Every structure is written in C-alpha cells, then in structure tokens.
Amino acid sequence: VFVASGGGRSLVSGSTDRSLHIPIDNNYAASLGTALSTTGARTVHVVVDTEAPGGLNRLQDFMRDSAEHYPEVPVSVIEAPTFDAVLAQAAALPEDAVIYYLLVFSDGAGNRMTAIEAARSLSEAAAVPVFSNWEVLLGTGIVGGYMISAERVAQRLFPAMSTDENRQSDASDIYGHYFDWRALQRHGIAAAAVPEWAEVRFRELSILEMHFYEALAVAVALGVMAAMSLALM
C-alpha cells in the first residue's frame, strides 16, 4: 500500500500491479489560507528539507500556490546550514509572521531525524505559530490548520483493498480542519478565529467542566433547600 503526496509519487512509480496507490493532491492554497485567516499574519516563512525525497517538489508546489492565491503576502524560505540554525532564525521572527512546515528529515550535520521530531523542536523554538499540511503532526506543538487527515485517507483505503478491480483509490475529500488547543492558547489565537466546524484537540477542561455534575447537584440541592425555607416562612 502506498499513500503518496506531491513529490512522493515518484517513489511508487515502479511498483507492481499488486500494489494499491492512494494519490493525494496537496491543497497548499487552502491550507495557507487557513493559516493566514486564523492568525492575521503578514509574512510566511517556510521550513523544508530540500535534500529529502520530494522536498524540493513540495517547496515548489507551495511557492506556486502561494504566489497564485496570495500574491500580496511575502513568502520566504528559512535557509541555514544546520537545523539548529533554522531554529535560531525561527525564534527571532517578528510577531506578525507564521511558519509553514514542509517536513525536515536531517539536522544538516549528517544525522537523520524524523519529521515529527523536527516539528516538535521547531514548534518549541518558534515564537510564532507553526502550521503544516499533515494532521499526523498534530500534538507536536504546531497550531494545526487545514490538513490531510490520516483517518480520511484510511476511509478510502480499506474499501479499495476489498477488491482487485480498483487498484487506485479515490482520494478526494481527505482534508479537514484540525487544531491543537494548547498551541492556540500559547499563541493567543482566539477561538472565534478558528472555523466553527474544526476539530480542536487536547483541550484542557476547566474546574467547572471537570466537576459539572457535582456542581449541578450542589446547585439543585441549594435550590431545593431555599424553596423549602421559603415554604416554611
């Protein structure tokens, strides 16, 4: 089974007839639009590993879509010889900026790292919100946004696996709006800025929400006692 987006499609081009392909078109325009509307950012800074397979293609597609749909918004790539240097630049960005993360797989010194490790380090170092295109990265500190949903991809994968007739699955409607409540709080992003249909994860309940039924029971008991006192007067 191959789930390939953007430049990753070349990795499965030589696969056999027994393989199942899930082609995904990256919707960078809508994803970037969500980042801009949610934050009101005026500049976008891209973090990407162009040496990794598909990295340069992801960057080219993103720059093309941003120029076509948001020509008024300056977009630049954070370029540095090492990932530590990238983190230092991310920490010094102005408050009206956002970072768009297009995956990093190496620290620039010859050491491999996972895209999730890199996302976590980037989110911790950056003083501005970090957005991305893959919902599986939610929980690393990125804000979220309009992203490819692993669950929605799976919903298209399993029906296709049940038959030998359809070896290329439909991958439409695999995007969704997902946000990390903790990241929203950290960057002061108001709930009203998030689409009302979005899925907000990792929300921390207030004391009242955690003990709602206990508080309701106390309120009802006090109300009954008050009513009985009035009846006896």
Side-chain angles (χ1 to χ4, degrees), residues 112-159:
R112 302 294 295 172
M113 61 195 311
T114 69
I116 290 178
E117 289 176 317
R120 184 172 291 110
S121 296
L122 178 62
S123 300
E124 291 175 352
V128 299
V130 180
F131 289 79
S132 191
N133 199 42
W134 295 274
E135 171 258 344
V136 293
L137 296 174
L138 207 64
T140 62
I142 67 171
V143 172
Y146 187 57
M147 302 185 289
I148 296 171
S149 164
E151 180 180 1
R152 294 190 181 193
V153 170
Q155 288 172 348
R156 282 145 186 77
L157 169 63
F158 294 116

Side-chain angles (χ1 to χ4, degrees), residues 57-231:
N57 287 342
R58 285 193 295 274
L59 176 60
Q60 291 174 340
D61 290 347
F62 182 86
M63 298 299 284
R64 181 200 63 226
D65 287 357
S66 63
E68 179 179 349
H69 295 272
Y70 303 98
E72 74 285 359
V73 179
V75 178
S76 62
V77 181
I78 298 181
E79 297 184 273
T82 66
F83 189 53
D84 284 342
V86 169
L87 298 181
Q89 292 187 42
L93 291 176
E95 61 180 13
D96 63 350
V98 294
I99 293 174
Y100 201 95
Y101 175 60
L102 286 175
L103 306 186
V104 171
F105 297 95
S106 173
D107 66 358
N111 301 310
R112 302 294 295 172
M113 61 195 311
T114 69
I116 290 178
E117 289 176 317
R120 184 172 291 110
S121 296
L122 178 62
S123 300
E124 291 175 352
V128 299
V130 180
F131 289 79
S132 191
N133 199 42
W134 295 274
E135 171 258 344
V136 293
L137 296 174
L138 207 64
T140 62
I142 67 171
V143 172
Y146 187 57
M147 302 185 289
I148 296 171
S149 164
E151 180 180 1
R152 294 190 181 193
V153 170
Q155 288 172 348
R156 282 145 186 77
L157 169 63
F158 294 116
M161 292 177 65
S162 64
T163 174
D164 290 332
E165 297 180 0
N166 179 16
R167 304 309 299 171
Q168 180 156 311
S169 172
D170 174 28
S172 61
D173 191 31
I174 44 78
Y175 272 78
H177 288 87
Y178 305 93
F179 292 87
D180 187 327
W181 184 89
R182 300 164 301 183
L184 293 172
Q185 295 293 302
R186 175 192 172 193
H187 295 290
I189 300 175
V194 176
E196 62 180 10
W197 54 84
E199 180 180 324
V200 180
R201 299 179 183 173
F202 310 109
R203 184 171 179 269
E204 299 173 1
L205 299 179
S206 66
I207 296 297
L208 179 59
E209 289 174 318
M210 292 175 61
H211 302 282
F212 173 77
Y213 290 107
E214 292 90 336
L216 179 61
V218 171
V220 170
L222 291 175
V224 171
M225 292 175 63
M228 291 176 62
S229 297
L230 290 174

Side-chain angles (χ1 to χ4, degrees), residues 11-31:
L11 300 177
V12 300
S13 59
S15 56
T16 68
D17 290 339
R18 290 180 58 82
S19 63
L20 172 64
H21 302 170
I22 309 294
I24 295 175
D25 291 323
N26 293 315
N27 193 344
Y28 291 129
S31 185

